[in-house]
Amino acid sequence: MKKRELKFIAIIFISLIIFLDLVFMKILGNNFSNKSVCYDEITVYNYCKNSVHINFLDEKGIDKKLIKTYIDENRIPYVKGGSKILPSKANILIIGDSFVQADEIETSKRIAEQFNKNDLTAVNLGFSSWSPFQYNRLLKKNIYEKNATFLIFLMTNDFLPNYRYSTINFSEKETEHKKFFINKEKSQKSLIFKIKRFLKENSFIFSSISKIKKNILNQDVTSGNYLKITDNLDIGNSNDCSLINKYENKVSNLILDYIYFSKSEKCWSQKHKKSVDHAVNLINDINNLIFPTQKVYFILVPPGWSIRDENLEGKTLGYSKIDKNVTITQAGLSNYLKKKVKNFYDLEPVLIKLKEEYPESNSLYFSRDGHWTELTHGLIFKWLKEIL
């Protein structure tokens, strides 16, 4: 066979692969998340300006779908076709981590938009793994309405000494994090990055390879030979420190932190108390940053495994390995914060009570993802209206 004929066959073969690749992508759809993350001078990292943040929701029993969050020039999510609200003009500012970011549900269903539908001007200022480090920075330059109300959602991982993005660890490694996100933003502007992103979004083959690589990486990160947690760590045994000793060096350091904070402060190590107190100092400093006419509420969000029959898939996987029938309270941490922080609220008893009204499995938290469902955003909005 002549070279010309071989070349022709090769071109036909490659063209057929490209055609089939595009057809498969069109039929199956693009199920690849494309998160919007850029360097921010105030919070170190945040949404990119004028961008679209895409999250692929893959939960059992729920239709798989891409959730698109549209971001304006001030890095604030908005409903496409709706009005944009400046943080400086909002009456209510909802501040927090990924629970406030809520990229698992449509923007119009999130707490801020529910306030807006009730003629109260609200904005979401939230991003994955933000902590009191970011919340303090957001309020240091108080550009907000003189009568603004700040609803600051805290998460147990804000206080963990073994979580990379916890308040104490982020504070101590601020320079390192800045360099990382500055370099990340630079790389996103490169031609190679743009080509890769185009292929992820438009090529079935390339996006499939990317997913396989990501799954392998996740397996490597969470493949530790950890002991399964089979003991309930509830409010009733919060003064029993023996379970900490039982699981020490047998579960991941991260999940051990949650076990520590299920217990009263007398069970905590010096390392755990130092981590909590560092965050508490930044939280209390916020009270000194706001005007006398402004109000701030601090609300502790429990992880899904604190509530019966919630986050059933996610809590059994990776570093967690918690039995489906086990719950881990955050009462130890909550009781400590009640003594140290003004205007503090714990959502764990609120959600336990709501669970009685909605007893179905994973009604309040997504089974795998572990964040709040659309139902919970509506219920928390109603609860917030009551406390306000």
Side-chain angles (χ1 to χ4, degrees):
M1 193 177 289
K2 294 180 180 180
K3 285 184 179 180
R4 185 179 293 178
E5 291 173 336
L6 286 171
K7 190 176 180 181
F8 177 75
I9 292 170
I11 291 170
I12 295 295
F13 179 72
I14 293 169
S15 299
L16 181 62
I17 289 175
I18 293 171
F19 174 75
L20 291 173
D21 185 39
L22 294 171
V23 168
F24 270 105
M25 198 64 173
K26 193 72 176 175
I27 294 171
L28 299 175
N30 176 21
N31 296 331
F32 209 95
S33 297
N34 185 11
K35 303 298 180 73
S36 169
V37 188
C38 282
Y39 172 70
D40 181 89
E41 289 182 358
I42 298 172
T43 57
V44 181
Y45 68 102
N46 199 347
Y47 287 117
C48 302
K49 296 179 180 180
N50 297 311
S51 63
V52 181
H53 179 95
I54 302 173
N55 183 40
F56 177 56
L57 182 66
D58 183 8
E59 291 281 334
K60 289 180 179 177
I62 300 175
D63 291 338
K64 296 179 181 181
K65 56 182 176 179
L66 288 171
I67 309 294
K68 292 185 178 182
T69 304
Y70 295 90
I71 311 301
D72 69 14
E73 62 275 12
N74 296 301
R75 308 181 196 265
I76 306 298
Y78 67 94
V79 177
K80 193 175 182 182
S83 57
K84 299 178 184 178
I85 301 170
L86 288 169
S88 59
K89 300 296 181 184
N91 301 122
I92 298 172
L93 295 105
I94 300 164
I95 301 171
D97 68 353
S98 52
F99 274 82
V100 167
Q101 183 182 26
D103 64 5
E104 310 80 22
I105 64 173
E106 301 293 343
T107 309
S108 61
K109 307 294 184 183
R110 299 171 195 171
I111 295 171
E113 288 304 320
Q114 302 204 40
F115 274 108
N116 289 327
K117 289 172 186 174
N118 283 262
D119 299 321
L120 292 165
T121 312
V123 294
N124 267 1
L125 296 174
F127 205 89
S128 179
S129 293
W130 275 7
S131 73
F133 173 92
Q134 278 81 15
Y135 314 152
N136 189 283
R137 292 292 181 89
L138 284 167
L139 288 167
K140 233 163 200 169
K141 190 176 180 181
N142 197 334
I143 60 167
Y144 310 103
E145 288 281 358
K146 293 290 189 265
N147 295 311
T149 297
F150 305 97
L151 303 174
I152 300 181
F153 287 85
L154 307 170
M155 187 69 191
T156 310
N157 60 19
D158 296 341
F159 305 91
L160 306 185
N162 289 300
Y163 182 52
R164 182 185 176 190
Y165 288 94
S166 69
T167 313
I168 191 168
N169 289 331
F170 203 95
S171 300
E172 291 177 351
K173 297 181 179 179
E174 180 185 351
T175 302
E176 181 183 313
H177 287 297
K178 277 184 177 178
K179 287 179 181 177
F180 173 81
F181 286 105
I182 288 170
N183 291 332
K184 182 180 178 69
E185 187 170 351
K186 284 180 181 176
S187 70
Q188 289 175 351
K189 294 176 181 177
S190 69
L191 180 61
I192 293 173
F193 178 86
K194 289 176 180 178
I195 291 171
K196 283 183 177 179
R197 187 168 65 181
F198 174 82
L199 290 172
K200 280 182 183 179
E201 293 174 355
N202 297 281
S203 167
F204 175 75
I205 295 170
F206 194 88
S207 64
S208 298
I209 292 170
S210 297
K211 284 177 190 175
I212 292 167
K213 284 170 66 177
K214 185 179 179 181
N215 289 336
I216 291 171
L217 181 63
N218 287 341
Q219 285 175 4
D220 290 341
V221 170
T222 59
S223 60
N225 188 25
Y226 301 128
L227 180 68
K228 190 174 186 178
I229 297 171
T230 54
D231 295 280
N232 269 310
L233 294 116
D234 52 35
I235 297 170
N237 61 15
S238 62
N239 289 313
D240 178 8
C241 307
S242 63
L243 286 176
I244 293 175
N245 297 327
K246 177 179 177 178
Y247 288 108
E248 191 103 43
N249 300 320
K250 295 175 183 175
V251 298
S252 70
N253 288 333
L254 206 55
I255 204 66
L256 186 66
D257 285 347
Y258 285 96
I259 293 175
Y260 265 101
F261 291 143
S262 72
K263 303 299 178 184
S264 67
E265 64 200 81
K266 75 172 189 176
C267 299
W268 298 357
S269 70
Q270 192 60 37
K271 180 181 178 182
H272 287 81
K273 191 170 185 303
K274 179 185 175 183
S275 182
V276 173
D277 286 341
H278 178 89
V280 165
N281 288 336
L282 286 178
I283 291 166
N284 285 333
D285 190 41
I286 290 172
N287 280 308
N288 301 322
L289 296 173
I290 65 171
F291 303 132
T293 52
Q294 295 173 329
K295 294 179 181 178
V296 60
Y297 299 84
F298 298 100
I299 303 157
L300 185 62
V301 178
W305 54 63
S306 294
I307 313 298
R308 174 181 51 82
D309 293 334
E310 293 293 342
N311 188 205
L312 287 176
E313 185 179 0
K315 75 180 188 180
T316 66
L317 303 174
Y319 70 84
S320 304
K321 292 199 175 174
I322 303 168
D323 187 88
K324 285 187 176 183
N325 297 312
V326 165
T327 56
I328 302 178
T329 183
Q330 60 175 8
L333 175 63
S334 172
N335 289 334
Y336 185 79
L337 294 176
K338 283 175 188 174
K339 294 183 285 186
K340 299 289 183 177
V341 177
K342 294 179 183 177
N343 295 326
F344 173 80
Y345 293 82
D346 181 10
L347 275 180
E348 185 176 323
V350 175
L351 288 164
I352 288 173
K353 190 173 180 180
L354 286 170
K355 187 63 182 175
E356 294 173 5
E357 298 177 40
Y358 302 92
E360 300 86 1
S361 298
N362 305 308
S363 58
L364 303 178
Y365 291 72
F366 285 112
S367 179
R368 183 182 300 171
D369 174 86
H371 291 100
W372 285 336
T373 62
E374 185 179 310
L375 169 68
T376 312
H377 277 258
L379 295 171
I380 296 300
F381 162 70
K382 290 177 182 177
W383 176 81
L384 288 169
K385 279 183 69 180
E386 289 177 13
I387 71 164
L388 293 178

